[in-house]
Amino acid sequence: MRDPGLPSLDQLRVFIAVIDHGGFAHAARALHRTQSVISYTIANLEEQLNVELLDRSKRRPVLTEAGKALLADARAVSLKVDGMRARAKALSAGLEAEVSLVVDVMYSTCKLVRILHAFQKEFPTVSLRLRTEALGAVTQLVMDRTCRIGVSAWMPGAPDTIERQSCGFVTMVPVVSPDHPLAQIKGKIPNEVLREHTQLVLTDRSTLTRGQDFGVVALRDWRLGDLSSKHALLRSGIGWGNMPVEFIQWDLDAGRLVQLDVSEGPSFSAPLYVIRRGDEEPGPATRWVMQQFLDMDRQIAEASAEASAQAAACTAPSGPSHHMPIPMQFHQRASEQPAIGPLPTPTPTPPAKVA
């Protein structure tokens, strides 16, 4: 038996049309061809593949077992070719083939997912490469052109080629397991007491912050490579540490974690920025993603202001809360969008206490 030949794309699409439209005559009308041409094309396809695709013994052609198996392949080939043509059309119009993005692990997962859903609908032919990193690793990937844009806190030592725009804040809270000794302390906890307990700290994979500590106050600390590991160890009671409030809100509500009332305050807000290289012009899809990060926090700020106005008109319920209230000033400031421009030359400043 000879090997199957190479079917044409037209043959595959005629085969699909016969099945989708319910017969040779209906397929002929849909494709604006004669019925004899449709029949001839299917016969040639069967000869090419050395199999019978349709059972013609009945009034309407019915797929054979081989036809059922090969119909899925025919559809897959047709869709791939259509996708390739759409991508080629987009590229010829100046649309980039891929958007590469790196996001700090502290950025809200809910916001990120919402942006990516919108991106998929807006640019179905553009691929997305997403990475999540911490601290200076975000800036490093943008600097070495691994990713075109990033969402990160500002890092000391970033070159002048990196441009930034404010895209909101992340609220950090010091937390610990309810079984940890620190959770048993009533009132404010001074730094002298915190230093005596193991602090869980997120470490930087890059060299930008080598030798620098941000908010490490404990005499003994554990350095962790990802936020999930830090979260798991906090819940296990191994140590204390700062976490994004959105990441652990459910744990606070359920009592799996307890917010510490430290002397420096129950929470703090760290600014986030959309960053890119100023010597490279982003494509249309990349610019669209950047704008989504900027608009996302602005929309949240507007919704927060509306919710605050509604709450002010009502009487707040009394009763104990599960954890200390989180200041929301960062929502009010999120709408402040400085103009894009190169980063100022960093001046030596004491590291923020953010660990």
Side-chain angles (χ1 to χ4, degrees), residues 39-348:
S39 299
Y40 179 75
T41 302
I42 295 297
N44 280 344
L45 178 60
E46 291 176 322
E47 184 179 356
Q48 285 270 6
L49 298 177
N50 292 335
V51 293
E52 186 179 15
L53 300 173
L54 299 171
D55 180 2
R56 299 170 177 79
S57 62
K58 300 179 181 179
R59 182 177 180 181
R60 294 179 59 182
V62 179
L63 285 169
T64 63
E65 290 302 317
K68 292 177 183 178
L70 294 177
L71 177 62
D73 294 331
R75 291 190 190 280
V77 171
S78 180
L79 288 173
K80 285 287 186 181
V81 172
D82 288 340
M84 184 180 71
R85 293 179 63 201
R87 180 167 296 189
K89 181 179 179 180
L91 290 172
S92 65
L95 190 65
E96 61 266 51
E98 178 184 81
V99 170
S100 54
L101 169 68
V102 55
V103 179
D104 195 292
V105 293
M106 301 295 182
Y107 190 79
S108 167
T109 303
C110 294
K111 296 179 186 177
L112 179 61
V113 169
R114 184 175 174 182
I115 290 172
L116 297 185
H117 267 297
F119 172 81
Q120 188 178 47
K121 292 180 180 179
E122 188 74 17
F123 300 99
T125 65
V126 179
S127 299
L128 180 83
R129 181 154 47 93
L130 172 67
R131 296 182 61 167
T132 55
E133 292 287 351
L135 303 172
V138 176
T139 304
Q140 186 69 57
L141 289 175
V142 176
M143 285 172 54
D144 62 21
R145 295 183 171 88
T146 301
C147 296
R148 295 296 301 271
I149 56 174
V151 177
S152 171
W154 177 76
M155 283 292 109
D160 292 342
T161 54
I162 297 296
E163 295 184 354
R164 61 174 177 171
Q165 274 186 286
S166 174
C167 66
F169 293 77
V170 57
T171 299
M172 305 288 292
V173 293
V175 294
V176 74
S177 166
D179 299 324
H180 192 277
L182 285 174
Q184 316 309 318
I185 299 176
K186 305 299 181 182
K188 288 196 177 294
I189 305 174
N191 281 348
E192 291 75 13
V193 176
L194 288 177
R195 291 193 185 101
E196 301 301 320
H197 296 272
T198 300
Q199 184 176 2
L200 304 180
V201 181
L202 200 62
T203 191
D204 193 345
R205 303 177 195 267
S206 76
T207 59
L208 281 180
T209 58
R210 179 178 294 170
Q212 302 180 54
D213 286 335
F214 297 92
V216 180
V217 301
L219 299 175
R220 182 175 62 255
D221 60 72
W222 284 20
R223 306 293 172 121
L224 307 171
D226 66 89
L227 198 63
S228 295
S229 297
K230 182 178 180 180
H231 179 223
L233 294 182
L234 284 169
R235 286 183 54 174
S236 72
I238 285 181
W240 70 276
N242 294 305
M243 289 287 288
V245 68
E246 289 190 30
F247 197 96
I248 45 90
Q249 186 67 62
W250 286 358
D251 291 314
L252 292 174
D253 293 339
R256 291 183 293 264
L257 288 174
V258 176
Q259 187 176 345
L260 297 176
D261 187 8
V262 300
S263 58
E264 295 182 354
S267 67
F268 59 90
S269 295
L272 294 174
Y273 301 91
V274 176
I275 62 173
R276 69 177 182 89
R277 290 185 63 96
D279 55 357
E280 295 180 350
E281 186 62 28
T286 301
R287 288 196 301 269
W288 185 92
V289 172
M290 291 175 62
Q291 193 60 47
Q292 293 305 301
F293 280 105
L294 300 176
D295 291 345
M296 175 64 68
D297 226 73
R298 188 180 299 115
Q299 293 168 6
I300 292 176
E302 293 172 355
S304 177
E306 182 179 352
S308 297
Q310 293 176 354
C314 303
T315 303
S318 59
S321 61
H322 293 287
H323 53 83
M324 286 173 283
I326 306 301
M328 300 301 288
Q329 291 92 337
F330 71 104
H331 284 316
Q332 299 167 7
R333 297 173 60 189
S335 61
E336 300 173 10
Q337 303 293 344
I340 299 179
L343 288 173
T345 303
T347 56

